[in-house]
Amino acid sequence: MRVGTTGGLGMSGQRRLLSRLRTLRAHDSAPLSVLVRLVASELVSEVCSIYVQRPGDILELAATEGLNSDAIGRTRLRVGEGIVGLCAATGTVMNLPDAQNHPAFAYRPETGEEPFASMLAVPVRRTGRSLGVLAVQNRTPRNYTEAEIDELETVAMLLAEMLPNSGATDGSPEGLGATLPRLFTGTPLMGGIAVGPIIRLRSSRKVAKLLADDPQAEQKRLEAAVEQMRRGLDDLFADVPHSGRAADVTASKEVLEAYRLVAADAGWLNRVGDVIRSGLTAEAAVQRVAQELHDRMRRISDAYLRERLADMEDLANRLLTTLSGDTTRPPVPENAILVARRLGPAELLDWHGRGIAGVAIEEASPAGHAAILARALDIPALGSLRGMLDSIEPGDEAVVDADEGQFILRPDSEVQHAYRRAQEARTAKNIELAKWRDRPAVTADGVHLKLMLNVGLSLELPQLDRTGADGIGLFRTEIAMLARGSVADVAEQAAIYGRVLDEAGDRPVIFRTLDLGADKLLPGTITDEENPAMGWRSLRVGLDRPALLRRQLRALLLAAGGRELSVMFPMVATVAEFRAAKALLLAEASRVRPAPERLRIGTMLEIPALMWQLPELLSETDFISVGSNDLLQFLFAADRGTPSLYDRYDFLSRPMLDLLEQLVVAANVTGTPVSLCGEAASRPLEALVLAAIGIRTLSMPASGILPIKAMLAQVELRSFQSVLTAIRRGGDVGLREAITTWAREAGIVA
Ligand code: PEP
Ligand code: MG
C-alpha cells in the first residue's frame, strides 16, 4: 500500500488540477481533448492519451495530446495487446522508463510515438469494470514518481465517471458497451430459467459527489464515519460468542482481530486522508483507496490474505454506507437475479429467504456447495461466468438460462418474451413428469431401483411427497447449521432431526454427521490451510473434537426416540477412523433411552484409500454410500470447486466405473448395501450406468427423481448391461459418447 504522497506536483498542484477538472466536469460535453491537454500540461508530459474500451475487448485511441491526431479512432489494440492493452487486462499501473523495449510493446506507426521513451499507463475503471486506459509519455527515459502515479490514478477515477457522459469520440452510447445485450456461456449449476432485474452481492455504492468543496469538512466527515463504523463493529462483534469451544473462540477472535486491524489500520486511514486533502470527497477517497487495496490483494494467492480482501471490501462498503447515511437494506425486486463473484452456501440461503429467482456466479462449479444448495432450493443457477460482473451496469436485466448454460445480459424484449414462453413450457413439462410421482422406479424389464433424496433443510422435506422419493439417502446435517450460523445445541439439533424423521414417516432416512470445512465454513471460521478440501474437515474435526461429534450423535439418538436410526460418517479415510466414530456412536447409544429399534451405522466412500481396506471395512460397516462428488475430486486430484476443472474428468470413465464395480463385487460377498449419493446420481446416463453395474439405490437432489424414473421405464436394463460391457471393452476413450449414442438411438435421451 502506498501511504502518503511525495514529490511531483505536491498537494496544492493536485488540488489545482482537480479544480480545473471540476470546471471541465461542469460542462459534461467538454471534449476529452481538453482533458488530455490539461493533464499533459499539469504532469509536464509531452503526451497524454485516452484509450476507450469498445465491445469485443478493443481499446481505441479516443483522445490524445502529443500523438498524431489522425490516429484518433484508428489506433486500436486488443485488451492484453501492447502496454496499454496489458494495463487494461491486468488492471495494473505500467510505469516504464523504456516502454519501447518492453516485451509487450506494440508499435503503431500512425501514432508517431517513436520519440517517446517513457510511459505511465493507468487503468480507467468503474465498479471494477474496465473502461479504458489513461497514459502519459515523455521523450526522456524516466521513472514516474509515486506522486505522479497517484495523480494520474485520481484523474483516471474522474475520467471513469465522465466517460459515459462524454460521448467519447463517436458519441454512440454503445461505444462503451453499456447498453448492448451480451451473452455469457457458463456452467449450469441448477437447471431452470429466470428473467428479471439484476442485484449484485455486496454491490459497491456509486459515489454521488467526487470533488470536495471543503477538504477539512470532508476529513471531519471521514473521522465521524470511521468512529461510527467502529462503534457499529463493536456491536457486531459483541454478538460473537467469547466462550465455548476453544477452536471456535480462537477462530472468531482471529477474524475479528484481522477485521479490527484493517479497520484501525492507520496507513489505510491516513491514505484516505491524503486523498481527501488532494480534493476528493470522503466517499470518493474511500473508494479510491479501497480500489488500491483491492488491486494489491488481488495479486496475492495466499488464502488467508485473500480472505482479508473480502474483509476490506466489506469494510469499505460499510464506510461508504455510513458516509452516505443510508443503512437501509434495499428490498429485493420481483424475479431478481443475484449475481456474485463467489457465493457461500449461507449467503445463498440468506438471499433465497429474501426471494431471489435466479443466481449467476462468476466462480462456482456444479460440485461446489453453493451449487448443491441451489439445487436443493430449486433456484436456477449458473456458474463459471468469466467477466460477467465487469459488464453489468446498474439497472440491468438478465436471463439466466441454466438449462442451456447461458447468461444473457440486457436481453431485448423479444428475447425476454421468448424466455418467458420457455419458462411456461418448462412448467408444462414438469406437470407431465409429475405423473411419475406415484410410480415405482423400475426398468422396462422389471428391475427395481430405490431413488432417494439428498436433503439439507427442513424446507426441502415436502419434496419427499412431491417426487415420490423412497426416502432420504443423504441428510446433510451441516446445512442447517450453516443456515443458522453456528452449531445448534443438543436439544435444538434433536428437534431438527426429529422433524425430518416425522416427515419421512415410514421412509428411511440416512443422517450424515457434520461435514464442515472446505467450502462449508461457519461464519467466524477461517482457515489458513493451503488446501482446505484435503484439510482439517469433516469427520477429522469430529474425531479431534469428540465433544462436538458426541453432542450430535446424542441429538440424533434423542430425535429417533426409539425409532430406527441410520447414521453415516463423511470423509472416512481409514477403517480406524470409522471404528473410532462408530465407538462414539455406540457409547452414546448405550446411554440414550429409548434406544433405537435398529441402529444402522455406515460410512461414506469418498476417499479412494478405503478401496484398499474393503475386507476390514465391510466387516464393520452396515452400509456404504459413495459420495461421488468428493470421490471424483480425490480420484482425479481435481478440485471440485475449481470451475475450469469441472468437466475435465468424467464420472463415466474407466477408473471410476472400475472402482465402483470392484466395490459392488466386494460388497456383494458380505451382503453390504451400497448406494451412491453424489450429484452424478441425478443425471440420467450416469444413473443408468450405475444401475447396470449394480448400484440400485441412488440418492440425489429432488430435481433428478422424476426424470430418472421416466428414463428407467424405457430401458431394458439387461440389454443395456451387455451394451455397456461391450463399450467398456472398447476402452476409456469415448465412453460417454458411446453410451450417449446408444441412448439416443434407443430414444432414451433426446
Ligand atoms: C459427495 O461428496 O458426493 C457428497 C455427497 O457429499 P458432499 O457433496 O456434501 O461433500
Ligand atoms: Mg462429500
Side-chain angles (χ1 to χ4, degrees):
M1 184 192 330
R2 288 194 308 275
V3 176
T5 52
T6 52
L9 282 179
M11 209 63 85
S12 65
Q14 247 199 76
R15 261 211 301 277
R16 191 180 61 228
L17 173 61
L18 289 180
S19 75
R20 292 184 69 182
L21 284 171
R22 189 204 322 245
T23 337
L24 246 185
R25 276 174 57 79
H27 312 94
D28 257 350
S29 59
L32 300 181
S33 54
V34 180
L35 184 137
V36 286
R37 203 172 312 136
L38 197 62
V39 174
S41 81
E42 290 291 338
L43 263 88
V44 200
S45 289
E46 282 110 17
V47 174
C48 175
S49 310
I50 295 170
Y51 294 82
V52 171
Q53 194 155 330
R54 303 285 185 203
D57 288 344
I58 297 291
L59 291 156
E60 185 182 293
L61 182 65
T64 184
E65 171 73 10
L67 298 184
N68 291 339
S69 56
D70 286 358
I72 294 174
R74 278 177 56 213
T75 296
R76 291 170 156 227
L77 295 152
R78 284 188 312 279
V79 169
E81 186 191 12
I83 311 284
V84 164
L86 203 58
C87 172
T90 58
T92 47
V93 173
M94 308 291 294
N95 182 1
L96 306 171
D98 183 12
Q100 304 199 7
N101 281 318
H102 187 280
F105 182 75
Y107 179 55
R108 289 288 188 272
E110 72 278 7
T111 58
E113 65 181 327
E114 297 94 304
F116 307 108
S118 46
M119 182 179 208
L120 172 63
V122 301
V124 180
R125 279 170 303 171
R126 199 163 56 137
T127 49
R129 176 186 160 216
S130 167
L131 296 181
V133 170
L134 175 66
V136 291
Q137 288 171 275
N138 283 77
R139 280 174 197 274
T140 39
R142 54 171 303 223
N143 258 313
Y144 294 87
T145 64
E146 286 281 301
E148 285 166 326
I149 298 172
D150 207 45
E151 200 115 10
L152 205 62
E153 285 189 308
T154 303
V155 176
M157 187 175 165
L158 297 175
L159 183 59
E161 297 302 319
M162 291 167 69
L163 268 181
N165 304 324
S166 71
T169 50
D170 57 8
S172 77
E174 300 95 280
L176 295 171
T179 56
L180 288 177
R182 280 198 65 177
L183 173 70
F184 294 84
T185 307
T187 307
L189 307 177
M190 164 66 198
I193 292 169
V195 184
I198 287 177
I199 41 174
R200 284 177 92 115
L201 181 72
R202 280 193 216 110
S203 64
S204 56
R205 252 157 219 289
K206 182 154 166 26
V207 172
K209 191 168 175 234
L210 287 168
L211 299 176
D213 304 319
D214 178 356
Q216 271 175 4
E218 290 303 311
Q219 182 66 30
K220 287 221 169 68
R221 285 184 63 228
L222 173 73
E223 282 160 18
V226 168
E227 190 42 46
Q228 193 183 336
M229 183 189 74
R230 283 196 185 137
R231 277 200 307 272
L233 288 179
D234 286 342
D235 290 347
L236 194 73
F237 295 171
D239 291 341
V240 179
H242 288 280
S243 58
R245 273 190 339 124
D248 288 343
V249 175
T250 313
S252 54
K253 266 195 192 143
E254 276 177 44
V255 173
L256 303 192
E257 211 37 59
Y259 213 101
R260 269 189 218 285
L261 277 178
V262 182
D265 179 278
W268 192 78
L269 292 170
N270 289 345
R271 171 88 186 117
V272 178
D274 279 346
V275 180
I276 288 178
R277 276 191 291 285
S278 77
L280 294 191
T281 59
E283 287 91 331
V286 170
Q287 203 176 51
R288 163 82 203 276
V289 174
Q291 182 70 50
E292 286 174 6
L293 290 167
H294 183 102
D295 290 346
R296 205 171 104 89
M297 302 298 286
R298 223 173 36 160
R299 287 184 284 278
I300 290 172
S301 60
D302 181 87
Y304 179 83
L305 290 175
R306 285 175 67 86
E307 281 304 312
R308 302 284 68 74
L309 168 63
D311 287 355
M312 281 178 207
E313 281 182 335
D314 197 36
L315 204 59
N317 278 336
R318 256 171 220 285
L319 203 49
L320 287 173
T321 309
T322 314
L323 279 164
S324 73
D326 173 16
T327 50
T328 50
R329 216 175 168 203
V332 171
E334 215 179 322
N335 295 322
I337 293 168
L338 177 68
V339 298
R341 197 168 307 281
R342 282 177 295 275
L343 190 68
E347 281 166 323
L348 181 53
L349 273 172
D350 184 34
W351 281 93
H352 172 256
R354 295 175 67 190
I356 50 167
V359 180
I361 314 173
E362 276 203 344
E363 296 170 19
S365 70
H369 287 105
I372 287 171
L373 207 61
R375 283 191 280 276
L377 300 171
D378 207 7
I379 303 176
L382 280 172
S384 312
L385 290 161
R386 286 191 54 199
M388 165 195 67
L389 284 180
D390 284 351
S391 305
I392 291 174
E393 289 288 319
D396 275 348
E397 304 218 321
V399 170
V400 167
D401 176 358
D403 290 337
E404 296 298 327
Q406 295 191 334
F407 178 80
I408 304 165
L409 182 60
R410 298 183 283 272
D412 60 34
S413 56
E414 277 305 302
V415 173
Q416 294 198 19
H417 280 134
Y419 272 102
R420 293 216 169 88
R421 282 196 300 276
Q423 253 175 333
E424 282 160 23
R426 210 172 188 280
T427 312
K429 188 173 153 212
N430 287 343
I431 293 169
E432 164 68 16
L433 276 176
K435 71 175 191 221
W436 290 96
R437 192 188 56 195
D438 299 321
R439 303 184 190 173
V442 54
T443 64
D445 52 346
V447 179
H448 281 255
L449 274 85
K450 288 218 173 314
L451 303 187
M452 320 269 278
L453 275 185
N454 291 350
V455 173
L457 292 168
S458 49
L459 63 89
E460 296 176 77
L461 293 172
Q463 303 276 23
L464 269 175
D465 290 335
R466 234 175 269 148
T467 59
D470 292 302
I472 296 175
L474 168 64
F475 186 86
R476 292 182 164 101
T477 56
E478 68 282 354
I479 301 289
M481 308 306 145
L482 288 167
R484 71 193 291 291
S486 61
V487 177
D489 63 21
V490 174
E492 209 179 320
Q493 284 193 55
I496 296 170
Y497 309 144
R499 183 155 167 226
V500 178
L501 289 170
D502 293 346
E503 293 269 338
D506 291 339
R507 293 166 287 205
V509 178
I510 299 177
F511 290 99
R512 196 252 311 266
T513 59
L514 291 172
D515 186 25
L516 290 165
D519 67 336
K520 288 185 283 193
L521 294 177
L522 288 168
T525 323
I526 49 167
T527 170
D528 56 0
E529 292 174 311
E530 290 261 322
N531 198 340
M534 296 203 278
W536 193 63
R537 59 173 284 206
S538 196
L539 184 64
R540 295 169 186 173
V541 178
L543 292 176
D544 290 356
R545 302 276 184 275
L548 177 77
L549 182 53
R550 270 208 308 266
R551 278 205 297 274
Q552 178 176 36
L553 297 173
R554 199 175 323 136
L556 285 164
L557 290 156
L558 288 169
R563 291 175 281 194
E564 172 169 332
L565 178 65
S566 297
V567 177
M568 67 181 175
F569 300 106
M571 291 291 292
V572 174
T574 65
V575 174
E577 285 173 351
F578 176 70
R579 215 175 271 143
K582 182 174 167 178
L584 286 177
L585 176 50
L586 291 175
E588 284 306 313
S590 68
R591 281 185 216 118
V592 174
R593 290 289 167 267
E597 65 180 14
R598 185 170 172 226
L599 179 58
R600 295 175 72 237
I601 308 176
T603 178
M604 292 188 77
L605 192 145
E606 302 181 279
I607 301 179
L610 275 191
M611 287 302 292
W612 287 271
Q613 304 168 67
L614 281 181
E616 260 182 297
L617 185 69
L618 287 166
S619 69
E620 307 223 8
T621 189
D622 293 331
F623 62 92
I624 290 181
S625 181
V626 178
S628 58
N629 305 333
D630 277 312
L631 183 59
L632 194 72
Q633 93 164 331
F634 297 128
L635 193 59
F636 286 100
D639 187 343
R640 67 192 261 188
T642 297
S644 56
L645 292 181
Y646 140 70
D647 57 359
R648 193 175 178 107
Y649 304 100
D650 197 347
F651 179 87
L652 293 181
S653 59
R654 182 182 290 280
M656 183 56 98
L657 298 193
D658 287 358
L659 183 155
L660 293 175
E661 200 169 50
Q662 279 170 32
L663 174 65
V664 171
V665 169
N668 281 346
V669 174
T670 49
T672 309
V674 174
S675 58
L676 186 140
C677 65
E679 303 302 299
S682 65
R683 293 190 287 266
L685 276 193
E686 279 83 335
L688 184 58
V689 170
L690 288 167
I693 60 177
I695 300 185
R696 304 279 161 83
T697 300
L698 305 177
S699 193
M700 65 192 78
S703 56
I705 302 249
L706 296 176
I708 286 180
K709 272 193 198 177
M711 179 271 299
L712 288 173
Q714 300 176 66
V715 182
E716 297 271 346
L717 192 62
R718 283 179 198 93
S719 10
F720 176 67
Q721 279 172 320
S722 336
V723 170
L724 183 64
T725 309
I727 291 175
R728 287 174 68 192
R729 274 206 204 104
D732 194 21
V733 186
L735 212 62
R736 178 175 291 278
E737 289 76 1
I739 297 169
T740 308
T741 306
W742 175 86
R744 285 220 178 96
E745 279 164 11
I748 290 161
V749 296

